[in-house]
Structures are given as structure tokens and as C-alpha cells.
Amino acid sequence: YAGPVSGVNTTSATLDANGTVLTCHPGTAHAAGTVPSASPAGPALGTISKATFGFSAGGGVSACSASGIFDFTAQLNQPVTLSGSTYSGGVTKGKIAGGISATLTGVNGTTCHATIKGTSLSASYTNATHALTVNPGAHSALSVTSVSNGHCSGLLTTGEPAAFTAAYQFNPPLSVTGP
């Protein structure tokens, strides 16, 4: 199998921006992309062409929450690549890279807009569970690069570091055989 894949978060997807935690509950963060085969053997494992946060499977808004103060949705602004660097026991470790850029938009009456950018995030794919875990160590690899409307209720500030973590279940199931 070579072609499209899709994933949905199985745990809360979080963005920690200098202590302000933005949370998308399980089932509200979706990713889609392509893989070169059903058993990719990197380093190029695939491309993530679309990622959305705060939407239900049917496309309706199921907003994420910024520390319970305002609701938001978000989306990836450009495709990124998934590459492997090590493989052991059915687990491939690598990174998501290619100029990460996402836009956060307030909903339900909130006019907050923010952009989060970075160069890469660590990631791992586990064959047994078909799960892609993003940034399992929660290292700060991103930063808030722009904020509008009074710093989004004072929660986000341009220049502060941000760390994104999530776990996605992918379909169809893949069996990565090496980096």
C-alpha cells in the first residue's frame, strides 16, 4: 500500500506555551498525509499534508480549550515530513520537520489569532499499536511567532516557547521496517 493515510488523536493533544496549556480532547485532532508504502523503511517515512485541531470527524467544530478561558481551533499551514532515524523492536524514532507552522483561531466569540512555528518535533511510530507519538519528551521546539487581539486574553505572548505533544492512531495500519 502506497497512498493516503489518516490519523486521529487518542490522547489529549496539548500545546504548552510557557505554562499556558491549550488542550484538544481525544478525537478532535486529525492528521492526513501519504506514505510511500505499507512498510516504509525511511529515512523518508511519509508526509503530513493536513492537520486540524478542534474539529469532529464530520468536520463540525468541537473546540479545543485554552486553559478553560477561551475555545479555539487550529490548523497546520503547510505540509511537513516524517522521517526515521532509529528502529528497534517495532518502534521507529525520528522527527517531523519541514518548517512547522500552525495557526490558532479563537471561536465562540473569541477573536484570538496566533501563529506557532518551529523547525522540527521529535516523533515515534509503534507498529504494534499503529500509533504516532509526537514529541514524547515534551521538549520546547516551537515558539509563538505572532499574536493578535491583546495577547489572546493575556495567555499567549509573541516569542514565548511552546511544546506540542499528541498521540495519533493511523489508518490504514502501517508496519515501519526501519529508518
Side-chain angles (χ1 to χ4, degrees):
Y1 176 84
V5 293
S6 62
V8 62
N9 65 317
T10 56
T11 62
S12 290
T14 62
L15 179 76
D16 185 336
N18 207 28
T20 297
V21 180
L22 290 75
T23 304
C24 296
H25 296 290
T28 62
H30 303 269
T34 57
V35 294
S37 74
S39 298
L45 301 177
T47 300
I48 300 169
S49 55
K50 181 179 181 179
T52 59
F53 307 89
F55 296 95
S56 65
V61 173
S62 179
C64 303
S65 176
S67 295
I69 296 177
F70 67 86
D71 293 337
F72 70 93
T73 60
Q75 66 182 17
L76 186 66
N77 294 326
Q78 62 193 33
V80 293
T81 58
L82 176 62
S83 62
S85 58
T86 65
Y87 175 82
S88 177
V91 177
T92 302
K93 293 181 181 180
K95 66 181 178 177
I96 296 170
I100 298 166
S101 175
T103 302
L104 178 144
T105 304
V107 296
N108 301 330
T110 302
T111 57
C112 168
H113 295 279
T115 303
I116 293 92
K117 292 184 177 184
T119 56
S120 67
L121 288 169
S122 62
S124 64
Y125 184 82
T126 304
N127 288 337
T129 59
H130 313 295
L132 176 68
T133 303
V134 180
N135 204 19
H139 300 290
S140 181
L142 307 172
S143 64
V144 179
T145 59
S146 69
V147 179
S148 67
N149 191 36
H151 304 297
C152 295
S153 301
L155 296 177
L156 299 174
T157 304
T158 299
E160 65 188 357
F164 176 74
T165 58
Y168 291 87
Q169 179 81 43
F170 269 82
N171 199 12
L174 303 173
S175 180
V176 179
T177 59

